[in-house]
Amino acid sequence: MTAGMTAGMGDGATEGIRALSWRGVIEEYREFLPVTASTPVISLLEGGTPLLEAPRLSARVGARVLLKIEGANPTGSFKDRGMTMAISKAVEDGAKAVVCASTGNTSASAAAFSARAGLTCAVLIPEGHIALGKLAQALIHGAKVLQLRGNFDQALDIVRALGEQAPVTVVNSVNPYRIEGQKSGAFEVVDQLGDAPDVHCIPVGNAGNITAYWKGYLEFKEAGRSTRLPRMLGFQAAGAAPIVAGHVIEHPETVATAIRIGNPASWYGATSAASESGGGIAAVTDDEILEAYRFLATEESVFCEPASAASVAGLLKTGLPDGLGPGSTVVCVLTGHGLKDPDIAISQISVPTVVDADLGAVLHELQL
Ligand code: F0G
């Protein structure tokens, strides 16, 4: 769950001790966050996720590539980083209820943190387009779940209106505290590497995360905690790539349901991150996403969800930016855990053969 845990078990290495005493995003990075001594900290000990070397991916790309494993967060996605801030501030401000639109992960995280804080949580999700695990999470944590006959963009429009008309706090990334918490991902990458990477690859949906990472990298450089800034490469799914197209997509479609978004709330944040950093935003097809998804599982032993694999698919497609060679370092954020979307995983492999409970039959089938 937390970085370096195995390393520290036998020999008492500092890394292991630190991992075991990880205090969650707000306590670890308090000085960079809009909290005071009286802010009630609602935490599930999120953050502190592994930054894993990816040797086979590195060989394919021709540079050192590392994976930031955000599926290791308490609810299985990076959303927990922003949610600890949004829910803590909601409680501080006296809120009794929160609401979000979601393609699944935000709702899972909001539901879990709300339960912890004793808040009512309402979530609007697009009917039929949310991974099963995420739906299960929102339900089991006790959220009021509404399945909308519509897509994420329509759900977010309604949620924004609810925020104005009802006594409820919106915890989508239009809530600035979400971005504040999520920027901790960049802080951790710098702390783990000792400096910022040369390139940072990230999937883009509603565009809050790329906005947050860029903010985090800028703040750590400003504070003297890093000496450089990465080029930010954001990747949208080809059927849901409004930023690449330069206009809103009315009917976004992609196998990566987490980023099935046609009108990102942080559009400007994404384009600023890309242009200020000398990076860019590009599109990857569903086939490219699924190829990267299978590659990560079979070659790097990391099971992420399809949307997460967009960062690696994009890196494989576009290669290193001009001027960068084998000595460079690339970080790809794998935003969510593969177990959230078992249906896609099963659709990518052949269904296991059924055999009689008989040694001979098993030996015959396995051909070892
Ligand atoms: N990866 C995963 C697994 C996600 O769930 C999301 C967004 C993204 C990438 C894109 O991040 O929106 O900050 O650009 N999920 C949101 C949700 C929309 O409702 O869970 P983004």
Side-chain angles (χ1 to χ4, degrees):
M1 190 61 60
T2 25
M5 200 169 260
T6 328
M9 282 189 175
D11 56 12
T14 318
E15 206 188 338
I17 293 167
R18 175 167 165 72
L20 292 172
S21 64
W22 181 261
R23 295 166 297 161
V25 159
I26 293 179
E27 294 305 349
E28 293 291 335
Y29 295 111
R30 179 173 272 280
E31 64 198 285
F32 293 94
L33 296 170
V35 289
T36 67
S38 58
T39 305
V41 175
I42 310 298
S43 173
L44 295 172
L45 302 186
E46 61 295 314
T49 59
L51 186 67
L52 183 69
E53 298 278 359
R56 292 180 178 132
L57 183 56
S58 299
R60 266 180 83 172
V61 172
R64 181 187 182 201
V65 185
L66 301 105
L67 306 169
K68 185 71 172 150
I69 314 287
E70 290 294 275
N73 274 295
T75 76
S77 88
F78 72 97
K79 303 290 180 179
D80 296 342
R81 297 180 180 279
M83 209 53 76
T84 184
M85 274 298 304
I87 298 295
S88 296
K89 294 302 281 189
V91 172
E92 184 173 28
D93 295 342
K96 296 281 172 275
V98 301
V99 65
C100 67
S102 183
T103 57
N105 280 324
T106 300
S107 53
S109 187
F113 280 84
S114 297
R116 186 82 177 188
L119 296 177
T120 297
C121 175
V123 307
L124 263 64
I125 55 174
E127 185 198 16
H129 293 279
I130 154 168
L132 193 64
K134 302 175 188 178
L135 179 60
Q137 287 179 287
L139 293 170
I140 201 74
H141 289 303
K144 293 178 193 274
V145 179
L146 290 181
Q147 306 196 69
L148 198 79
R149 283 189 209 97
N151 61 31
F152 170 86
D153 303 295
Q154 293 168 301
L156 185 56
D157 284 346
I158 294 173
V159 161
R160 286 182 195 255
L162 272 175
E164 278 159 25
Q165 289 174 28
V168 64
T169 301
V170 175
V171 293
N172 280 103
S173 55
V174 294
N175 177 330
Y177 296 125
R178 281 277 313 280
I179 305 289
E180 289 299 312
Q182 280 174 214
K183 74 188 180 188
S184 63
F187 296 166
E188 285 180 25
V189 169
V190 171
D191 282 343
Q192 287 168 309
L193 281 179
D195 206 340
D198 297 293
V199 182
H200 182 98
C201 299
I202 186 166
V204 174
N206 211 24
N209 212 25
I210 188 170
T211 304
Y213 264 92
W214 182 235
K215 190 167 196 285
Y217 282 124
L218 286 172
E219 287 182 11
F220 250 31
K221 169 113 189 318
E222 179 72 30
R225 303 270 291 250
S226 63
T227 67
R228 54 186 179 174
L229 293 166
R231 297 199 213 181
M232 302 293 293
L233 302 185
F235 297 102
Q236 301 195 293
I243 300 175
V244 178
H247 58 79
V248 170
I249 305 290
E250 291 294 333
H251 301 290
E253 278 307 338
T254 168
V255 68
T257 52
I259 52 173
R260 185 176 171 272
I261 293 174
N263 187 14
S266 297
W267 189 311
Y268 178 72
T271 51
S272 303
S275 60
E276 288 171 21
S277 72
I281 312 281
V284 282
T285 66
D286 281 4
D287 282 348
E288 289 162 345
I289 289 173
L290 292 173
E291 197 271 324
Y293 169 78
R294 291 188 303 265
F295 177 84
L296 286 165
T298 57
E299 303 297 319
E300 301 292 2
S301 306
V302 179
F303 186 24
C304 64
E305 61 176 288
S308 308
S311 59
V312 170
L315 176 64
L316 289 170
K317 183 174 189 169
T318 61
L320 292 175
D322 287 346
L324 293 182
S328 49
T329 301
V330 182
V331 168
C332 294
V333 183
L334 299 183
T335 45
H337 202 292
L339 283 173
K340 285 176 174 270
D341 202 346
D343 296 327
I344 298 290
I346 298 293
S347 76
Q348 292 300 298
I349 45 180
S350 46
V351 177
T353 309
V354 179
V355 291
D356 289 333
D358 171 74
L359 178 61
V362 171
L363 276 170
H364 176 75
E365 283 299 333
L366 290 180
Q367 298 284 316
L368 294 174

